[in-house]
Amino acid sequence: MSIVPQKGISWTGTNINVTLLASFSLMTTQGEITGNVPLSFDKTNVELLLWTGVNSDGHLKTDLITCKVAANNLQLQFSQADAALLANYIPHMQNFIRQTVEQVVCPSFHAELVPVLSNRIMNTPLSASLFEQYFINYALLGPVEFAQQAITLKHRGNSFGILRQGRTRLNDFRLPYRSPPLNVPTTDSGHMVEFYLSNYTLSSLLFWMDQYRKFDYEISRQATNNSALVGYLKTDCGTGDICAGTLFPALATRFPGGEVVIKSHTVSYPRVVLRKNNVTIYIDSRVDAFVQQADRSRRFLTASMNAEVKMDKISFKDFVLHGELRIDKFKILDVASLVDGIDEGSLEFLVNALTELILNEDMARKLKGGIQLPIMFDYTQQSSHINFEDDQIQIFADYCATDKCAATADNKDTEIDYYDTVQG
C-alpha cells in the first residue's frame, strides 16, 4: 500500500495468477457457436485506489474509487479441434477479454478485499461504548488530506453528538463556547499515528454528560446502596452510635426521627483546562440538604461547591483513550443553614467523607468505556505515549503493520460491515 498525493491510498497486488471458466457465444456465418473454455492469465497486476470520507451514516469510511487490472499471458485453453474451428475468432476474443478484464476481476476484489481494507484503515465505529446516549460523530473541517508521507484528518473538535430515532438522523450540537487554536507541530514525530486534541474535544464529552445529569448526585436511603451509610443519615440513633444527629445535635433537636437527604446539581457545564502534565476539570455545583420526616421533606441547608477533578491512570490502547476521574479537592461557599453548628468547615468535613465513601468510586467509573478515537490502523499496537501540554493532548502510537513486526494479528471479523451497525 502507498499514498497517492491528493488522490487517496493505493493498494497494489502484483504477479497474481488467475484461472476461471469462461462462457462464450459467437455469431458466425455458419451460425451461433457457444461453449465454455478455461481462461487463465498470470503475472497480473491489480491496483485499487481508495478514498476516505464521511459516509451517509455520519462516520468515517474508506471505500473503492477505481480498480485497474493489467493482465499478461492471457490464454484461452481450447481443445485442439475447437482451436482450429475458432482460429479466426480467437484474436478477437482475446482482445475483447483484455478490454473487459476489469469487469471480470474487479468485482471479486471489491467484494473480498475492499471490506478488509476498509475495516483496517481509517474507520470509526458508531457504537462507541461510552454511554447509550452518545456516539462519536466525525465532523471533519475538510476532506482527508493525502500527502506524500502522511495522511491528515482535521476535525472540528466537538466529537460527541446524540443519535435519535433511526440510523441516519444525526444531531451534532455546538457547544456554548469556542475552541482554542490548536497548534500542531510540523516536524515528524517518528511514530506511525499521532493525535492532537484540544480541550474542546474532552469538553464536548463532559458537556453532554452534564446535560444528562452525570455529575448530579443524591445521597439518601433510596439512592444509596450502602446500608452502613444510611445509618449515618439518621437524625436520631442509639447511644454510642454515630449519625447526623450526633454530629449536629441541633439537627436532632429540630428534626427528630428524620433522615437526611443531600442533593447536588451542577450550575454550569464542566470546564477543562490542559496544562503540561496535568488535566483539571472544574465542576461548580449547588448543594441542598433536606430532612425527610414521615410524609414531608424540609430543606435546612443550601451551599455552593466548587470541585477540581483530575484525570488519572491515563492510557491509550487500540485507539481508545482510557482514564479515571478523581475529585482532587473542593471548596464550600455561601452556606445558608437553618441549623446551628453547620457551617462551611463542618460541611467540608462531611463532603470529604462522602467523597471517600461514595463520590470518587462513582467518578472513577465515568470514563469506564474510554473515548474511542478514529481507527487509523486495525493492527496490533506495539506502544503508545501520551503528553499533556498547554491547551492540548498529544498521543503517539506504533503498530505491527510491516514484515519487521514479529507477531501480526489477523483480523477475525466475520461480518464485513460490522462498523456500519448502530447498536441500540
Side-chain angles (χ1 to χ4, degrees):
M1 297 186 69
S2 61
I3 302 173
V4 181
Q6 312 303 323
K7 292 185 178 181
I9 301 172
S10 173
W11 180 96
T12 303
T14 59
N15 293 324
I16 299 173
N17 299 328
V18 180
T19 302
L20 50 89
L21 185 65
S23 299
F24 65 90
S25 174
L26 294 173
M27 298 301 297
T28 70
T29 55
Q30 289 80 27
E32 182 180 9
I33 301 176
T34 61
N36 298 317
V37 59
L39 168 64
S40 66
F41 37 91
D42 56 19
K43 297 182 179 179
T44 299
N45 297 337
V46 178
E47 182 179 354
L48 308 179
L49 183 64
L50 303 108
W51 179 267
T52 300
V54 178
N55 69 2
S56 59
D57 279 339
H59 71 295
L60 204 61
K61 191 66 182 287
T62 300
D63 211 344
L64 180 68
I65 300 299
T66 61
C67 171
K68 296 180 180 180
V69 178
N72 297 301
N73 296 335
L74 192 151
Q75 294 183 6
L76 292 166
Q77 300 170 12
F78 285 108
S79 66
Q80 187 174 0
D82 289 343
L85 176 64
L86 301 173
N88 295 331
Y89 301 98
I90 290 178
H92 298 286
M93 296 173 68
Q94 291 176 329
N95 185 54
F96 176 78
I97 292 171
R98 288 190 179 92
Q99 293 176 356
T100 60
V101 67
E102 292 178 352
Q103 300 176 25
V104 177
V105 176
C106 288
S108 294
F109 276 83
H110 196 179
E112 300 294 337
L113 182 62
V114 170
V116 176
L117 296 174
S118 181
N119 283 344
R120 302 203 80 168
I121 56 174
M122 289 185 288
N123 206 318
T124 55
L126 274 176
S127 55
S129 58
L130 192 56
F131 301 100
E132 64 273 14
Q133 296 100 338
Y134 304 119
F135 74 99
I136 299 179
N137 180 26
Y138 288 89
L140 300 181
L141 292 173
V144 178
E145 298 176 9
F146 296 92
Q148 187 68 43
Q149 299 295 328
I151 300 172
T152 303
L153 289 76
K154 295 180 180 179
H155 187 274
R156 184 169 52 80
N158 180 11
S159 56
F160 295 87
I162 298 176
L163 179 63
R164 292 180 177 174
Q165 300 177 7
R167 288 176 58 91
T168 57
R169 284 193 62 186
L170 305 177
N171 297 314
D172 185 47
F173 299 93
R174 302 298 189 268
L175 300 187
Y177 47 87
R178 293 184 177 276
S179 171
L182 182 62
N183 298 316
V184 177
T186 57
T187 56
D188 186 1
S189 69
H191 297 280
M192 293 178 66
V193 175
E194 307 170 16
F195 286 102
Y196 298 90
L197 291 78
S198 74
N199 66 348
Y200 196 73
T201 301
L202 185 57
S203 295
S204 67
L205 167 62
L206 300 177
F207 177 84
W208 289 111
M209 288 171 66
D210 179 62
Q211 293 294 299
Y212 279 86
R213 305 300 184 189
K214 297 296 181 179
F215 297 109
D216 292 357
Y217 290 95
E218 177 178 335
I219 299 173
S220 64
R221 173 185 291 274
Q222 292 75 21
T224 304
N225 186 21
N226 187 323
S227 58
L229 181 62
V230 169
Y232 291 124
L233 298 177
K234 295 181 179 180
T235 58
D236 294 325
C237 54
T239 304
D241 294 335
I242 298 177
C243 62
T246 57
L247 294 174
F248 306 107
L251 187 65
T253 301
R254 185 158 186 169
F255 303 105
E259 287 187 354
V260 175
V261 176
I262 302 174
K263 297 181 180 181
S264 73
H265 64 274
T266 56
V267 295
S268 66
Y269 49 83
R271 302 182 308 282
V272 179
V273 176
L274 300 177
R275 293 288 182 261
K276 189 173 183 63
N277 301 323
N278 183 276
V279 181
T280 303
I281 303 166
Y282 296 93
I283 302 176
D284 298 334
S285 302
R286 170 175 166 169
V287 179
D288 296 285
F290 306 81
V291 170
Q292 184 70 42
Q293 289 178 300
D295 58 347
R296 68 174 182 171
S297 178
R298 298 182 62 185
R299 181 168 59 186
F300 68 89
L301 178 145
T302 62
S304 299
M305 181 174 69
N306 301 333
E308 291 187 18
V309 178
K310 299 294 185 180
M311 192 172 177
D312 297 331
K313 299 180 180 180
I314 302 169
S315 63
F316 181 75
K317 180 65 175 176
D318 297 333
F319 294 96
V320 179
L321 180 62
H322 296 277
E324 290 186 3
L325 300 181
R326 171 182 56 85
I327 299 175
D328 183 56
K329 57 184 177 181
F330 58 86
K331 186 172 182 59
I332 301 297
L333 305 166
D334 305 325
V335 177
S337 174
L338 300 178
V339 177
D340 293 336
I342 300 181
D343 55 16
E344 293 178 1
S346 58
L347 189 57
E348 284 188 3
F349 172 81
L350 177 61
V351 173
N352 186 65
L354 293 174
T355 298
E356 296 297 325
L357 289 171
I358 299 177
L359 301 183
N360 262 341
E361 181 180 352
D362 177 76
M363 190 69 72
R365 295 194 297 264
K366 297 295 186 187
L367 299 180
K368 182 179 179 180
I371 301 173
Q372 175 74 66
L373 298 179
I375 297 173
M376 306 305 292
F377 297 104
D378 189 12
Y379 293 97
T380 301
Q381 181 176 312
Q382 284 184 308
S383 62
S384 66
H385 183 69
I386 303 172
N387 292 334
F388 290 95
E389 303 291 344
D390 290 348
D391 295 326
Q392 70 176 236
I393 303 174
Q394 302 174 353
I395 303 172
F396 308 103
D398 292 294
Y399 298 84
C400 293
T402 67
D403 295 336
K404 296 180 181 179
C405 186
T408 301
D410 291 332
N411 191 322
K412 303 299 184 181
D413 306 312
T414 58
E415 185 180 353
I416 62 173
D417 62 342
Y418 69 106
Y419 279 155
D420 293 332
T421 303
V422 179
Q423 304 292 338

